[in-house]
Amino acid sequence: MLPENAGGCINKAFESVDDGFQTIDLRIRREDGDRNDRNGEWSAERDLRCGWGVLRPAWLQRFRTAKWALFWLCWAGAIQGMVVNGFVNVVITTIERRFGLRSMQTGVIAGGYDMASFACLAPVTYLGGRSSASKPRWLGWGVLLMGIGSLLFALPHFLIPPYKVAGEEPDDLCIVNQTASSSWKDAPGEGGAWAVAVFVAAQLLHGAGATPLFTLGVTYIDENVSKKMSSVYLGVYYTMAVVGPALGYVVGGQMLKIYTDFATVDSETLGITPLSSSWIGAWWVGFIFSAVLCLVVALPLLAFPYELPGAAEIRASKISEAHEGAATKTAAFSALRELPKATAALFKNPTFMFLNLAGASEGMLISGFAAFLPKLIENQFAVNASQAAMLLGVITVPAGGGGTFLGGWLVKRWRLTCAGIIKLCVVATLLAVVFSFSFVLSCDNYPFAGVTIPYNSPSVSGGDRLSAECNAGCACGARAAAVCGADARAYASPCRAGCARALARGAHTLYQRCACVAPVAPLPLYYDAETNTSIPYEAINSTCSSECPYLWLFVFLSFCLMLFTFVATMPALSATLRCVREEQRSFALGLQWIVVRLLGTIPAPLLFGFLIDRACRLWAAGACALYDNVHMSRYMLALALAGKLCSLLFFFFAWWFYRPPGGKSDNAVAPAADAPGRDKANGSLPTVTTIANGTLDRSNGYCNAALECSDHL
């Protein structure tokens, strides 16, 4: 039992003195204090328990760890990457053909994600980053919103009639004296506006739902693990975020091998294969699959508490590396009316601003190439959409995922401070500039009759460039169903090749009596396994093989370019988190992503799409049917070099203007301990910096902001 006067201090010598003052007992009654303490502890403990509302079972509390939080956040990040940077990019060329869209229109679709992120970043990061907010709740609802967006993205498939394969209509064959159903329009199309609106709305939901993942999700991890392990955890998180697009490319590419109306139509009865120019794959299946995954991942995220056990101790042990200046002295901003003040404080941090600009230039390249690199591979090297997606998946897994994890590991292995981290970004970006010259590789233009090479027959005066004397009387329509002739030339359709007869054999369609195809001897043969016969043909509904030898060299150089690009990703994020104060981190990441999207990822698909449309040589049904390989390669090279050189310059300026707390160091290596004090691993005291002649050695540039490296020590 405690004495009666426990909890206060009363001098007995003054009790007998009559000085006219009455003694006031300000001590809290023990029973009242105990009751308040118990209520507060119970409420705090309940808030730190896993569960949903009042449902917080005891068995669920074993999952209340940073590792389990990282596990579910990794899956959420992987799904986001799989959908937005995987499925959407893989199906770009497919939905262009299906709905008659231009690259500029698909660029708007790809940019819809970043438009929503731009609009939502400031309120989400500011409101979700407050001390009273639950970051897991924001994350869980965001994942559910992404699932709704995926369902909406697949909706246009169910709103249109089944796909009609070009090549099965009467005007797809050369029938003399028939009337053409429509004329060829060699110009960009304006159709499919309703489909673009639906796709953009879906992308807006994707962007709004994914906003918390790489802002609040990053700070939630950083707040609940030690500084020493933060880079590792974030490296794993961002590695899974890069693995997501790889899964999207691989899985989405396999889905494109399935016919779009597989539930109602057998593709073999149509006489087409995935190699046919008329093929439309099941682009919508992946989005249905991802919507189900979003529901599965959102439920565990909603169960996590606003902070994990031990977060308070971790906060107390961390040392600030915020850039020395006005922003360093800024207190936490807790009211919405202080938003302009918070923004101005961060904008006065030069290191933070140059890191933002570097992120914008990197984001422009990543966003643009993620959307249109499959199209580049398809057209440069004459491979189909499924093969292009598979190649990018093979590149992305080791290069993107490995590079992201390697960057985080190097920061931990070398124990780099903020200045050293930025130097690492400079070196990685310099190497990426070298490999950007991979886009110099270009193949010869596709041998397309009437466009890149002339017909074997004289042209017709007053006709379009796809007309010649050999098909002048065929009255060909505007439908595009490119076929490969026995003379190794591509023709816009069987009718444009002058073919008068079609034979459906399994998944292929063979054409005979083709007047425009140059005679070859002997004719190629198609072996029919059902009848055990070989059938000669003059054209087939498949793409002509490419003799370009640069495909695998381009794949290797693209791998190196992607590797060094993503090596800088994790260090750049760590530098951003370290150059601002802890209470500013969520808002700082939000502002950074606003700059990245406004200057980089939003205009990137539009810019890439505009340049790719300029490289188009032949338009058909509103979509581009043939590109100029040389022009496309040069446009991509110019964009890659310009973006990488800007990134290199901005990273250099971020390092040049960085001033650590105390501001005299140039050493890039931090001390081994997270904070001054006892080494918890072995119970021994850390090594103390040598003090000689009354001065403090501050050469490591890693100072406690609370002491500001004061010379009075």
Side-chain angles (χ1 to χ4, degrees):
M1 294 293 293
L2 293 173
E4 181 181 354
N5 62 350
C9 183
I10 299 177
N11 193 331
K12 299 292 184 179
F14 292 97
E15 287 186 351
S16 60
V17 179
D18 186 9
D19 54 5
F21 292 95
Q22 299 293 327
T23 301
I24 302 176
D25 191 356
L26 298 178
R27 294 171 294 175
I28 300 174
R29 293 176 57 191
R30 178 175 177 79
E31 56 271 21
D32 293 340
D34 291 346
R35 186 182 302 112
N36 292 334
D37 291 342
R38 284 194 299 270
N39 291 338
E41 290 174 2
W42 181 85
S43 177
E45 182 181 357
R46 182 177 179 276
D47 290 339
L48 291 177
R49 291 173 65 85
C50 279
W52 305 271
V54 296
L55 182 62
R56 300 177 185 270
W59 61 267
L60 195 61
Q61 308 316 310
R62 72 184 67 177
F63 302 105
R64 190 180 50 171
T65 63
K67 291 181 179 179
W68 276 106
L70 176 66
F71 175 81
W72 292 111
L73 281 173
C74 283
W75 276 109
I79 293 172
Q80 180 270 343
M82 181 177 67
V83 175
V84 177
N85 300 317
F87 290 156
V88 173
N89 299 331
V90 165
V91 305
I92 285 290
T93 55
T94 301
I95 63 176
E96 281 183 5
R97 292 198 303 268
R98 183 68 176 97
F99 299 97
L101 307 179
R102 294 173 295 150
S103 293
M104 272 287 289
Q105 291 175 303
T106 53
V108 172
I109 294 171
Y113 170 84
D114 296 301
M115 294 175 191
S117 295
F118 171 74
C120 296
L121 269 171
V124 167
T125 54
Y126 191 81
L127 298 175
R130 295 180 301 176
S131 58
S132 60
S134 174
K135 293 183 178 67
R137 190 170 299 171
W138 284 85
L139 292 164
W141 286 113
V143 173
L144 282 177
L145 200 59
M146 280 199 304
I148 298 174
S150 295
L151 288 176
L152 184 60
F153 203 98
L155 183 62
H157 170 76
F158 302 97
L159 298 179
I160 55 177
Y163 175 61
K164 203 174 188 65
V165 177
E168 61 182 358
E169 293 295 310
D171 62 352
D172 289 327
L173 290 177
C174 180
I175 302 176
V176 181
N177 297 327
Q178 74 170 343
T179 302
S181 59
S182 59
S183 59
W184 189 277
K185 295 181 180 179
D186 189 6
E190 299 294 341
W194 68 270
V196 173
V198 175
F199 289 138
V200 169
Q203 283 285 77
L204 292 176
L205 292 178
H206 284 153
T211 299
L213 285 179
F214 299 104
T215 51
L216 301 182
V218 169
T219 54
Y220 188 71
I221 293 174
D222 190 66
E223 291 167 358
N224 289 281
V225 298
S226 65
K227 179 180 289 187
K228 182 168 60 177
M229 294 303 298
S230 177
S231 292
V232 177
Y233 272 64
L234 292 177
V236 173
Y237 182 36
Y238 273 81
T239 299
M240 283 298 293
V242 175
V243 170
L247 290 174
Y249 281 119
V250 174
V251 176
Q254 296 304 308
M255 292 297 103
L256 292 181
K257 292 182 178 180
I258 304 172
Y259 187 62
T260 183
D261 296 314
F262 67 90
T264 57
V265 178
D266 184 1
S267 62
E268 291 190 1
T269 63
L270 301 176
I272 60 173
T273 69
L275 298 178
S276 304
S277 61
S278 301
W279 179 268
I280 298 294
W283 59 270
W284 52 274
V285 174
F287 295 98
I288 303 293
F289 172 68
S290 62
V292 176
L293 288 181
C294 285
L295 176 63
V296 173
V297 173
L299 292 177
L301 283 176
L302 289 169
F304 278 93
Y306 72 94
E307 71 176 10
L308 299 176
E313 290 80 1
I314 292 173
R315 280 197 302 271
S317 67
K318 288 185 177 179
I319 300 172
S320 174
E321 287 185 85
H323 174 84
E324 185 180 37
T328 309
K329 305 295 191 294
T330 305
F333 304 99
S334 58
L336 193 60
R337 64 178 179 274
E338 298 180 14
L339 185 62
K341 183 179 178 182
T343 305
L346 287 173
F347 280 0
K348 292 178 182 178
N349 187 333
T351 298
F352 174 71
M353 289 307 301
F354 280 118
L355 288 174
N356 290 349
L357 295 175
S361 57
E362 291 290 285
M364 182 193 70
L365 295 180
I366 293 174
S367 178
F369 282 115
F372 293 105
L373 191 56
K375 179 187 286 287
L376 174 68
I377 294 177
E378 286 181 47
N379 291 276
Q380 281 282 355
F381 306 106
V383 300
N384 58 39
S386 177
Q387 292 173 326
M390 181 64 69
L391 285 173
L392 281 179
V394 171
I395 295 174
T396 304
V397 171
T404 303
F405 187 80
L406 178 62
W409 181 82
L410 290 176
V411 172
K412 177 180 180 295
R413 177 66 179 82
W414 292 336
R415 294 183 285 118
L416 299 176
T417 60
C418 190
I421 290 172
I422 302 175
K423 287 182 182 178
L424 177 61
C425 294
V426 172
V427 174
T429 305
L430 180 61
L431 293 173
V433 170
V434 175
F435 288 104
S436 297
F437 286 94
S438 60
F439 293 101
V440 170
L441 299 176
S442 177
C443 300
D444 294 334
N445 285 321
Y446 200 59
F448 205 102
V451 182
T452 60
I453 56 175
Y455 275 95
N456 291 314
S457 176
S459 60
V460 177
S461 60
D464 57 61
R465 54 180 171 167
L466 297 179
S467 298
E469 288 185 0
C470 59
N471 60 24
C474 299
C476 300
R479 292 165 60 84
V483 296
C484 183
D487 55 358
R489 299 184 182 186
Y491 296 86
S493 68
C495 183
R496 297 288 177 174
C499 300
R501 185 184 180 191
L503 299 174
R505 291 294 183 269
H508 292 275
T509 301
L510 311 178
Y511 298 97
Q512 297 175 340
R513 301 192 343 232
C514 301
C516 296
V517 177
V520 295
L523 287 174
L525 300 175
Y526 176 82
Y527 176 73
D528 188 357
E530 293 183 1
T531 61
N532 195 26
T533 58
S534 297
I535 305 173
Y537 64 89
E538 295 178 67
I540 188 172
N541 63 336
S542 181
T543 57
C544 296
S545 60
S546 172
E547 298 180 357
C548 182
Y550 301 134
L551 174 59
W552 292 107
L553 177 60
F554 179 80
V555 168
F556 171 74
L557 295 177
S558 297
F559 169 85
C560 296
L561 172 61
M562 189 176 298
L563 176 68
F564 290 110
T565 295
F566 282 94
V567 162
T569 300
M570 187 58 237
L573 175 65
S574 294
T576 301
L577 291 174
R578 294 193 187 193
C579 74
V580 299
R581 289 179 60 86
E582 182 173 352
E583 62 270 15
Q584 297 174 325
R585 287 179 177 178
S586 290
F587 189 51
L589 286 180
L591 284 180
Q592 183 179 65
W593 280 107
I594 288 176
V595 174
V596 168
R597 278 161 170 75
L598 185 63
L599 301 181
T601 58
I602 288 178
L606 302 177
L607 176 61
F608 276 70
F610 170 75
L611 292 178
I612 288 176
D613 280 341
R614 285 181 59 87
C616 184
R617 296 287 298 272
L618 179 68
W619 295 92
C624 186
L626 182 68
Y627 290 95
D628 187 293
N629 287 341
V630 176
H631 287 169
M632 181 182 285
S633 175
R634 297 300 179 265
Y635 289 148
M636 297 301 103
L637 175 64
L639 289 171
L641 282 180
K644 282 298 178 185
L645 289 175
C646 286
S647 297
L648 181 64
L649 190 65
F650 293 140
F651 277 131
F652 175 79
F653 283 147
W655 168 77
W656 182 265
F657 287 102
Y658 175 69
R659 295 293 180 269
K664 294 184 180 179
S665 167
D666 204 16
N667 194 325
V669 180
D674 280 348
R678 186 172 298 274
D679 188 346
K680 296 181 181 179
N682 54 21
S684 62
L685 289 173
T687 303
V688 179
T689 305
T690 303
I691 301 176
N693 300 326
T695 62
L696 175 66
D697 182 4
R698 297 179 296 189
S699 62
N700 60 14
Y702 190 85
C703 305
N704 191 328
L707 300 177
E708 296 187 353
C709 298
S710 302
D711 286 336
H712 75 272
L713 293 175

